[in-house]
Amino acid sequence: MNNFAKIFTVAKKEYADALKNRVFLVFLFFLLFLIGVSIIVAAFDFQGKVAVYQNALLKLRQSGQVVENLSEPQFFPLQLLRGAIEYLEIIGAILAIVLGYLSIAKEKGNNTLQLILTRPISRFSVYLGKFLGNALLIISVSGIVFVGITLVVDIVGKTMLTGSQLYRIFLTFIFTIIYLLIFFSISTLLSILLKSLPNALIISFVIWILFVLIIPQIGDTMDPDNQVPGGLFNSLHMVKADQTAILAKFSHYEKMRDNLEQTSLTKHYERLAFAFLGIKDTYNGKSLEFIFSERAIDGWWISLASLLFGVFGAVIFVKKRVLWKEE
Amino acid sequence: MKKNNRFIIETKSLTKKYDGKAVLDNLNLAVAEGEIFGFLGHNGAGKTTTVNILTTLLVPTSGSAEICGFDTVKGSMEVKKSIGYLPENVKFYDNLTASENLEYFAKLSGIKNSKEKVTEVLEFIEFTGIEHKKLGEFSKGMRQRIGIAQAIMHEPKVLFLDEPTSGLDPMGIKKLREVILKLNREKRMTIFMNTHLLSEVAKVCTTIGVLNHGKLVYKETLENMLKRFSDEESLEDIYFTIGE
């Protein structure tokens, strides 16, 4: 049996183990349930808006008015994915942390890591097997989520998604996997690095709270447009040009706020996903070339972080001699 | 196995230090092929550290260790192919059946026909009829026998057992002892056993070594040891005399 087959054996076991783990299944259920509810509600709302428009057209036609000259309203079905992206940011990251912790902690606690490491398989291959198995699980979960929400938007929302819109969903799916792998790798790394497994879990969640909740929350609080529910500018019925002119006067403040938000990897993922899906108004209807030129930095940040934490975990797993509970 | 090797396990000036403190201090140890070697010592004497180095899990601070002529650091992959290991208090995967647990380790050991091998090994250790039971339902004694099964799956030349009888009831100890003797007799497997239980040493081992504060203070065949200390009333008395 070659080395690849051994890596595959480890990966297959990781995948199967997670699917039997109750903690993982509970968080998976919550994630799918919340995303399901959010997307179905949004899709019905979307369908309702389309129906209102079509009824209005029908009534105008019935009253003998010419409707062909009226400009068509714009609907943005990809914006329905906002809730799903936010749940992936929050609960998806928890799911990834749980996976990373279980991958190492159970083996450490059971002393099975010692058994595995005395088999003729290199430490790197063991790590790679564990990484691949869990990465495959993250891909599967994200795949189910994105296929599911695409179908709901398509069927419940009664909107025919274009090839370009499907491609944007696909890009978001890819960067969701990369984003979730960051949290998986952080949790794995800490479980390898720290003697105390509860501490590894606690620190993973502290990082999660920082990236997912605290930094974005501070950023939102500092946003001048966020001081009134629904947006300050919207409530004042201010046109975009005036908004931009006002914000220009606060450019230093805005830059500081932006820099703070950029320290959160979650915010990078959100900005990229919201740009792809046109959830952020600035990018709605814009070409992918434009989005990439503006938001490539977010893609680079999360890709780099994912790679760095993954590689760092591999190095520690290979180099750290005592990976198990010391007697 | 490399040729021209007198000993299947050999350490030369093996030293392991943690934070400058020597846990193993210039350990020179040699175990011949086919022996059942009982490695005795009080808690913290360095027995587990020795086994961890011999099984490639730890790297020595200085000195060297060889298994079947292969250095445990430079030739770790060859060493891994030659050894089986059962650590103390290993729990395995409770959510898997006995077969699934064993097949997993068989595959990691590079065995292609893992299913057939599992059946063969369980028959050899006379532990059949439990293949489809989950490990969570197993007693400590049953787990230890599964532990032995996983360790001999790839027919290693040397089997390392760390406190194998720890926590077992008398029946569990008896069954495990029978398996160890059978492995040595029928498979010609060299067995290196860390233990506290002097009674077990007397029943199973052919040679004993006593480790005290990281140093090998005594090594002799059991037969010679009993002759030499014939004045002592029990093995415990011999052990304490050696320790002094």
Side-chain angles (χ1 to χ4, degrees):
Chain A
M1 192 179 263
N2 61 28
N3 204 36
F4 182 77
K6 289 177 188 174
I7 294 170
F8 178 72
T9 300
V10 177
K12 201 172 134 191
K13 186 175 173 301
E14 287 294 305
Y15 193 95
D17 268 2
L19 290 177
K20 288 177 189 169
N21 187 278
R22 283 181 196 166
V23 180
F24 172 78
L25 290 176
V26 166
F27 280 109
L28 180 63
F29 172 77
F30 269 116
L31 179 72
L32 296 180
F33 176 75
L34 290 170
I35 289 178
V37 169
S38 106
I39 199 75
I40 288 169
V41 168
F44 274 116
D45 183 51
F46 181 81
Q47 193 191 342
K49 282 176 184 166
V50 174
V52 166
Y53 167 70
Q54 283 169 341
N55 277 339
L57 275 187
L58 189 67
K59 280 180 184 167
L60 284 171
R61 278 200 187 101
Q62 283 168 346
S63 64
Q65 295 200 41
V66 181
V67 295
E68 277 67 31
N69 294 335
L70 291 174
S71 60
E72 283 188 5
Q74 284 187 299
F75 293 111
F76 304 108
L78 295 190
Q79 291 189 340
L80 307 183
L81 273 63
R82 182 186 190 122
I85 297 298
E86 286 172 344
Y87 287 127
L88 280 167
E89 272 174 30
I90 301 166
I91 302 170
I94 295 178
L95 206 64
I97 286 173
V98 168
L99 278 180
Y101 176 76
L102 289 175
S103 176
I104 302 295
K106 270 180 84 177
E107 303 268 21
K108 268 187 169 182
N110 288 346
N111 277 348
T112 41
L113 205 51
Q114 280 169 280
L115 286 183
I116 294 171
L117 296 177
T118 53
R119 302 295 89 221
I121 175 172
S122 69
R123 284 185 173 217
F124 180 70
S125 299
V126 174
Y127 180 85
L128 197 60
K130 284 182 171 289
F131 185 87
L132 287 179
N134 287 290
L136 206 62
L137 198 62
I138 286 172
I139 292 169
S140 306
V141 170
S142 306
I144 290 168
V145 167
F146 277 92
V147 168
I149 55 182
T150 306
L151 288 175
V152 171
V153 168
D154 219 42
I155 296 165
V156 181
K158 289 183 181 169
T159 170
M160 185 63 85
L161 293 171
T162 64
S164 163
Q165 286 170 327
L166 288 173
Y167 183 53
R168 283 163 190 258
I169 292 176
F170 176 72
L171 284 174
T172 313
F173 161 67
I174 296 293
F175 280 98
T176 300
I177 293 164
I178 297 171
Y179 167 72
L180 295 180
L181 282 175
I182 296 173
F183 286 93
F184 168 76
S185 296
I186 288 174
S187 166
T188 307
L189 172 66
L190 289 168
S191 302
I192 296 168
L193 206 57
L194 300 179
K195 276 186 186 174
S196 161
L197 291 170
N199 282 353
L201 195 59
I202 290 167
I203 296 172
S204 298
F205 275 106
V206 167
I207 293 171
W208 173 84
I209 289 171
L210 210 61
F211 281 165
V212 177
L213 298 179
I214 295 178
I215 299 172
Q217 192 60 48
I218 294 173
D220 280 349
T221 310
M222 286 171 72
D223 188 345
D225 194 30
N226 242 355
Q227 306 308 313
V228 172
L232 179 67
F233 296 131
N234 270 348
S235 66
L236 295 171
H237 304 291
M238 198 175 280
V239 294
K240 194 77 189 168
D242 290 343
Q243 292 179 24
T244 314
I246 291 170
L247 285 175
K249 290 178 184 171
F250 295 95
S251 61
H252 283 297
Y253 174 82
E254 190 56 21
K255 194 171 181 183
M256 194 176 75
R257 190 183 75 86
D258 183 56
N259 284 340
L260 178 78
E261 282 196 344
Q262 293 220 23
T263 57
S264 161
L265 291 166
T266 301
K267 208 67 193 173
H268 282 292
Y269 164 70
E270 186 185 278
R271 286 176 173 188
L272 193 63
F274 281 11
F276 282 144
L277 302 174
I279 294 168
K280 183 90 176 164
D281 288 340
T282 324
Y283 303 101
N284 198 5
K286 293 286 193 300
S287 70
L288 278 174
E289 287 76 23
F290 174 78
I291 291 167
F292 273 120
S293 69
E294 290 273 308
R295 297 259 61 102
I297 187 75
D298 297 310
W300 281 115
W301 263 113
I302 56 172
S303 303
L304 194 68
S306 189
L307 186 71
L308 276 179
F309 285 119
V311 169
F312 195 33
V315 170
I316 301 292
F317 193 84
V318 171
K319 295 286 177 193
K320 192 172 187 280
R321 293 316 302 185
V322 182
L323 287 170
W324 48 90
K325 282 194 302 183
E326 281 179 288
E327 299 299 328
Chain B
M1 185 168 163
K2 277 189 181 174
K3 286 187 176 172
N4 305 323
N5 248 56
R6 278 180 60 212
F7 299 107
I8 200 159
I9 301 171
E10 195 167 11
T11 71
K12 287 173 188 161
S13 304
L14 193 68
T15 302
K16 181 70 187 175
K17 289 180 180 174
Y18 288 112
D19 301 325
K21 192 185 167 195
V23 177
L24 280 183
D25 191 1
N26 281 302
L27 179 70
N28 292 299
L29 180 71
V31 178
E33 191 173 4
E35 279 186 356
I36 302 181
F37 184 79
F39 204 35
L40 293 165
H42 57 75
N43 286 341
K47 302 190 300 292
T48 300
T49 303
T50 308
V51 169
N52 279 343
I53 292 173
L54 295 173
T55 53
T56 76
L57 289 169
L58 285 179
V59 175
T61 309
S62 62
S64 66
E66 286 184 359
I67 305 286
C68 301
F70 297 106
D71 187 272
T72 55
V73 179
K74 290 173 196 156
S76 64
M77 206 50 84
E78 290 305 318
V79 170
K80 285 177 178 185
K81 285 176 190 167
S82 314
I83 61 163
Y85 179 39
L86 176 60
E88 191 181 1
N89 294 327
V90 64
K91 289 174 188 151
F92 297 99
Y93 305 108
D94 280 354
N95 58 336
L96 301 184
T97 64
S99 281
E100 287 166 341
N101 266 286
L102 293 174
E103 275 175 43
Y104 179 60
F105 288 105
K107 283 176 184 168
L108 292 185
S109 299
I111 296 166
K112 280 178 187 162
N113 50 344
S114 54
K115 271 192 169 54
E116 289 83 355
K117 192 69 194 175
V118 167
T119 310
E120 184 192 317
V121 168
L122 286 175
E123 277 172 8
F124 179 80
I125 64 166
E126 295 164 21
F127 196 40
T128 50
I130 45 78
E131 293 86 340
H132 304 296
K133 283 187 180 168
K134 291 204 169 173
L135 261 279
E137 301 168 22
F138 278 30
S139 67
K140 172 96 198 245
M142 291 164 87
R143 280 169 194 266
Q144 285 298 78
R145 288 165 80 188
I146 289 294
I148 297 271
Q150 68 76 29
I152 62 168
M153 196 71 69
H154 54 301
E155 301 193 0
K157 290 190 167 61
V158 187
L159 177 62
F160 288 95
L161 305 171
D162 195 359
E163 304 285 359
T165 51
S166 160
L168 297 190
D169 60 25
M171 184 54 81
I173 292 175
K174 184 174 176 284
K175 290 205 164 156
L176 198 71
R177 188 193 307 140
E178 285 166 4
V179 170
I180 292 169
L181 289 169
K182 193 176 176 186
L183 282 169
N184 179 254
R185 224 172 23 236
E186 294 179 24
K187 301 267 183 190
R188 290 293 299 154
M189 213 173 270
T190 307
I191 292 161
F192 189 103
M193 193 164 88
N194 275 359
T195 184
H196 278 104
L197 293 180
L198 296 166
S199 54
E200 279 316 298
V201 170
K203 282 173 187 159
V204 175
C205 297
T206 52
T207 311
I208 70 148
V210 179
L211 197 67
N212 195 2
H213 296 294
K215 287 179 187 287
L216 187 70
V217 292
Y218 186 81
K219 182 179 176 269
E220 188 63 272
T221 62
L222 187 75
E223 202 181 340
N224 288 346
M225 184 189 78
L226 292 173
K227 275 182 199 163
R228 186 174 158 191
F229 294 99
S230 56
D231 295 343
E232 303 290 348
E233 277 189 10
S234 66
L235 268 174
E236 277 78 10
D237 293 332
I238 297 174
Y239 177 74
F240 288 121
T241 308
I242 292 167
E244 283 159 16

